[in-house]
Amino acid sequence: MELARLDAEQAQQYVPELLDLYADAYDGPPWAGNPFYSVERYAERLQDTFEMKGFEIVNAVADGDLIGTCYGVTLPPTVSWWTDLDASLPAELAKAATEGRVFWLRQMLVRKAHRRLGAGRAMHDLLCSGRDEDFVTLTVIISNEPARSAYLSWGYEVIGRMRLAPESPMYDAMARSIRSAHRPS
């Protein structure tokens, strides 16, 4: 497996492969048939993400095929799910967000055939290494136990729960110090 860290301009060339990867990762319960998880909605979110401050992506390639991706941006403190958590946020994390010191891990995808082999952790650690922010945050579906457990084992803590859209399932919002995001397990 080879990892490549790219900026938004470089990532644009991978859009067809990213859409295919997304379709593979979200083909099945509880996502299949839910408009929020359609490839079309994902394509819109992906294009919006390319335009955000601090965008970076790490792609994992094996045998010439894209098997995983992990990307994020500097968290805009006005993101609706984030502002919904204001009351429950630790003071240091809330202050860091208003100062642009939180990295938002927007998406991590690994092809079904390559899960639980370390690709997700390797992409995560490379993406978080060298960032200027102090914290990293993400959301994970509470019923997605493999991903949720992995994030908890990587040092994330649950800071609240929310729905990202009326048609989406319930998510845990998680955060951790970014300085420990690339510590070996």
Side-chain angles (χ1 to χ4, degrees), residues 14-28 31-48 71 107 109 111:
Y14 290 94
V15 169
E17 291 91 344
L18 292 168
L19 297 178
D20 182 65
L21 175 62
Y22 182 87
D24 176 77
Y26 282 89
D27 179 30
W31 307 286
N34 184 326
F36 183 76
Y37 296 104
S38 71
V39 173
E40 295 77 22
R41 291 274 303 271
Y42 172 69
E44 293 168 6
R45 290 190 300 267
L46 180 62
Q47 287 301 322
D48 290 344
Y71 58 84
Q107 188 78 58
L109 300 167
R111 286 199 185 276

Side-chain angles (χ1 to χ4, degrees), residues 52-115:
M52 297 177 82
K53 178 183 174 191
F55 176 89
E56 279 191 307
I57 188 170
V58 170
N59 286 339
V61 176
D63 299 321
D65 294 321
L66 182 67
I67 63 162
T69 193
C70 181
Y71 58 84
V73 298
T74 302
L75 178 74
T78 57
V79 170
S80 62
W81 70 263
W82 185 257
T83 57
D84 290 347
L85 296 174
D86 275 348
S88 64
L89 290 175
E92 184 181 11
L93 187 56
K95 183 176 189 279
T98 62
E99 296 172 354
R101 297 184 294 114
V102 177
F103 180 65
W104 178 15
L105 197 157
R106 295 263 335 234
Q107 188 78 58
M108 183 183 304
L109 300 167
V110 178
R111 286 199 185 276
K112 291 175 186 171
H114 296 274
R115 291 182 182 160

